[in-house]
Amino acid sequence: MLLINCPWCGPRNETEYHYGGQAHVAYPETPADLTDEQWAEYVFYRDNPKGPFAERWVHSTGCRRWFNVLRDTVNYEVLAVYRLDEPRPALPQAGGNR
Amino acid sequence: MAEPTIDARVSPLAHLEERMRAATVTGARGVTLTEWPFLTMVNMRVDPASEAADRIGKALGAPLPRQCGDTSTSGPHTVLWLGPDEWLVLSQAEVTAVTSELREALGGDPGSVVDVSANRTTLELSGPAARQVLEKGCPLDLHPRSFAPGRAVSTTVGPIAVLLWQVDDGPTYRLFPRSSFADYLARWLIDAMSEYRGPEVP
């Protein structure tokens, strides 16, 4: 069970949240000019890193707000939590802040 | 002149009233479950930093709570924090009076005031064993060191999303599930309460 620290509600169990996929996927600047391949890239293709991954979560049974989580996909450690209007934080020291 | 109206509302738990009463446990491990149907609830959204938020706070008689878990009570109104720009106003006053008062305070500013009285129903769980009953299915720490009277948070009890508000030290909790989930939650609580009828197993 992940313990995720909602920016507004504080630490809550993973069961209170829903997952929203990769964060920082920007909408195309000129959508009309995109080829099918570029659209497919935007709509379907996502990173699958081994290690820190920025992803979106929503606190669905709490404040119902979206925010970003930096999570290590190897050991599932939540490295950082930040609001949508904040930039992706620089990585904490190796090994996280346990 | 008031128009004659017929109150044909049926509460989501009217059919369980008898079972909830029968589930009452008395004594040192006592716990009771009751429904308070048709309470006035108004959902309100406004930018907390705006002047409209101040005007609404004045209209309600107490500033809007700013932190998760905080509530503010003034006269017939209690305001519960739902999100950084969202609140639930519970009131003993009549719903049209509350909404019109809040809409007036909001004025033309961005925000919304919506009557959601039918969205949720109210369950009151009280008695010395009430906290133990909730702890069977609530992931939050309800111990007095971290949860106290006047705190209200959105969370889950069993699989049901509820707004949980502790009213007093009894302890008395009020749970606000969505109407369509109320039947399941009431049955879940009745089941959870049943063990306190017997002697404590060491």
Side-chain angles (χ1 to χ4, degrees), chain A residues 12-13 16 61 63-65, chain B residues 45 82 85-86 139 154-155:
Chain A
R12 299 289 181 90
N13 280 354
E16 294 200 2
T61 63
C63 59
R64 303 191 296 151
R65 295 302 183 280
Chain B
R45 297 198 66 168
L82 287 184
D85 59 358
E86 190 172 9
S154 303
T155 183

Side-chain angles (χ1 to χ4, degrees), chain B residues 15-198:
Chain B
H15 61 295
L16 287 178
E17 199 184 335
E18 205 55 50
R19 304 242 328 236
M20 287 194 281
R21 197 176 308 132
T24 300
V25 182
T26 51
R29 299 212 300 160
V31 56
T32 56
L33 180 65
T34 36
E35 188 201 10
W36 294 95
F38 315 131
L39 294 191
T40 295
M41 300 182 204
V42 177
N43 184 290
M44 190 171 62
R45 297 198 66 168
V46 66
D47 178 357
S50 67
E51 283 179 20
D54 295 341
R55 288 200 301 272
I56 287 170
K58 283 203 188 82
L60 289 168
L64 297 172
R66 299 299 165 98
Q67 296 274 321
C68 176
D70 286 357
T71 63
S72 66
T73 303
S74 161
H77 311 298
T78 297
V79 187
L80 312 186
W81 186 97
L82 287 184
D85 59 358
E86 190 172 9
W87 294 268
L88 187 71
V89 182
L90 305 168
S91 181
Q92 287 153 23
E94 211 264 317
V95 67
T96 47
V98 180
T99 48
S100 62
E101 185 186 11
L102 290 174
R103 283 204 183 113
E104 200 175 305
L106 181 63
D109 289 356
S112 70
V113 173
V114 182
D115 169 18
V116 292
S117 304
N119 184 17
R120 296 181 171 96
T121 190
T122 309
L123 277 165
E124 188 171 283
L125 188 73
S126 62
R131 177 157 68 89
Q132 284 164 277
V133 170
L134 282 181
E135 279 171 347
K136 292 182 182 191
C138 182
L140 279 184
D141 184 5
L142 298 177
H143 190 277
R145 74 177 158 247
S146 63
F147 203 72
R151 305 284 295 163
V153 289
S154 303
T155 183
T156 50
V157 172
I160 309 296
V162 299
L163 184 57
L164 178 68
W165 174 29
Q166 184 172 353
V167 183
D168 65 33
D169 266 325
T172 302
Y173 299 94
R174 294 209 180 125
L175 293 84
F176 303 90
R178 299 277 151 86
S179 291
S180 50
F181 294 100
D183 173 87
Y184 183 94
L185 181 66
R187 289 173 196 272
W188 190 95
L189 287 169
I190 289 169
D191 180 49
M193 286 159 67
S194 63
E195 83 164 76
Y196 298 96
R197 197 176 292 284

Side-chain angles (χ1 to χ4, degrees), chain A residues 31-94:
Chain A
D33 299 340
L34 258 54
T35 64
D36 286 355
E37 197 183 336
Q38 286 167 319
W39 263 120
E41 192 81 22
Y42 165 69
V43 175
F44 300 113
Y45 284 65
R46 294 291 179 264
D47 298 340
N48 185 20
K50 184 178 179 183
F53 186 41
E55 53 199 13
R56 295 178 302 171
W57 286 81
V58 60
H59 193 187
S60 41
T61 63
C63 59
R64 303 191 296 151
R65 295 302 183 280
W66 286 94
F67 57 93
N68 292 334
V69 173
L70 202 57
R71 181 178 64 93
D72 192 311
T73 58
V74 177
N75 57 13
Y76 280 57
E77 186 180 347
V78 176
L79 301 168
V81 173
Y82 53 106
R83 296 201 312 260
L84 295 181
D85 56 358
E86 293 171 334
R88 176 178 166 152
L91 268 184
Q93 301 247 314

